[in-house]
Amino acid sequence: MTTQKGPSSSVLLSRHMMAPPELAQQVLKHRSKTFTILQWNIQCQEYITDATVPYCPLHARDWNYRKALIIQECLRSGSEILCLQEVDQFNSLKDSLFQHGFDGLYFQKPHGRPDGCATFYSTKRFKLVASHPLKIQINKIDGTSAASYYSPNPTRHNGSKPVGTTQ
């Protein structure tokens, strides 16, 4: 079986990100004070199987093919921060994004899971000062999920630990 190295530019449809004109004008006016974030679950390569995506052609499951599309879409977004979930090919993504002015961090999921979360940032706009991984615990409450997050070390200015919950 031969695999394709990556898609041609015609694979992706031309899309335009749109915002109300007044918002777009404000963003352009204050560009040096604003930044954009792309958040995306890129699907762990190990989870792409006949059972999970039977409709997906084999060539489109190949990592090199997918990586080219992922990089292309990340760059096309114009975002300065990229938050990617289900990442299991971090070094490969980091090497490619580094060539476009990004650096990144990775935090693997616990319990032997093959994937984790990666955050990449534009080195033209940002400098890494510190990194504090957050652990997330999911609890079932009356059939709904609630996520609690905490950081192992940081404290607030009054000495209390930062804690938050979302539902």
Side-chain angles (χ1 to χ4, degrees), residues 121-134:
Y121 57 92
S122 168
T123 56
K124 295 173 189 158
R125 296 280 316 267
F126 301 100
K127 180 177 92 171
L128 180 64
V129 175
S131 168
H132 302 284
L134 297 176

Side-chain angles (χ1 to χ4, degrees), residues 43-48 61-63 66 86 88-89:
Q43 183 93 28
C44 175
Q45 189 67 25
E46 188 173 313
Y47 300 158
I48 300 174
R61 299 180 198 181
D62 178 71
W63 170 245
R66 292 183 62 234
E86 289 198 23
D88 62 343
Q89 304 287 330

Side-chain angles (χ1 to χ4, degrees), residues 10-164:
S10 64
V11 170
L12 295 178
L13 298 176
S14 177
R15 291 193 300 251
H16 303 284
M17 295 184 191
M18 300 188 68
E22 60 277 0
L23 177 60
Q25 289 173 356
Q26 288 296 317
V27 168
L28 291 174
K29 182 178 177 184
H30 300 288
R31 184 68 176 149
S32 65
K33 298 177 186 175
T34 64
F35 57 90
T36 55
I37 299 174
L38 171 74
Q39 180 273 324
W40 187 7
N41 181 326
I42 64 168
Q43 183 93 28
C44 175
Q45 189 67 25
E46 188 173 313
Y47 300 158
I48 300 174
T49 66
D50 286 335
T52 59
V53 288
Y55 48 83
C56 185
L58 287 177
H59 76 274
R61 299 180 198 181
D62 178 71
W63 170 245
N64 289 323
Y65 183 87
R66 292 183 62 234
K67 179 177 82 167
L69 288 174
I70 291 166
I71 299 298
Q72 183 178 357
E73 193 68 17
C74 286
L75 297 175
R76 185 189 351 212
S77 78
S79 299
E80 292 94 354
I81 298 175
L82 311 171
C83 300
L84 306 179
Q85 293 83 42
E86 289 198 23
V87 174
D88 62 343
Q89 304 287 330
F90 175 72
N91 290 330
S92 178
L93 288 171
K94 185 176 180 179
D95 291 346
S96 294
L97 287 168
F98 183 80
Q99 297 172 19
H100 298 280
F102 283 85
D103 201 357
L105 302 166
Y106 178 73
F107 187 71
Q108 187 160 351
K109 289 180 183 176
H111 311 299
R113 299 282 300 270
D115 61 310
C117 295
T119 302
F120 295 95
Y121 57 92
S122 168
T123 56
K124 295 173 189 158
R125 296 280 316 267
F126 301 100
K127 180 177 92 171
L128 180 64
V129 175
S131 168
H132 302 284
L134 297 176
K135 294 181 182 180
I136 297 176
Q137 179 178 347
I138 304 292
N139 300 311
K140 287 283 189 178
I141 302 172
D142 299 326
T144 61
S145 294
S148 299
Y149 60 92
Y150 61 93
S151 184
N153 295 320
T155 56
R156 293 184 181 152
H157 66 278
N158 64 4
S160 66
K161 294 270 184 192
V163 176

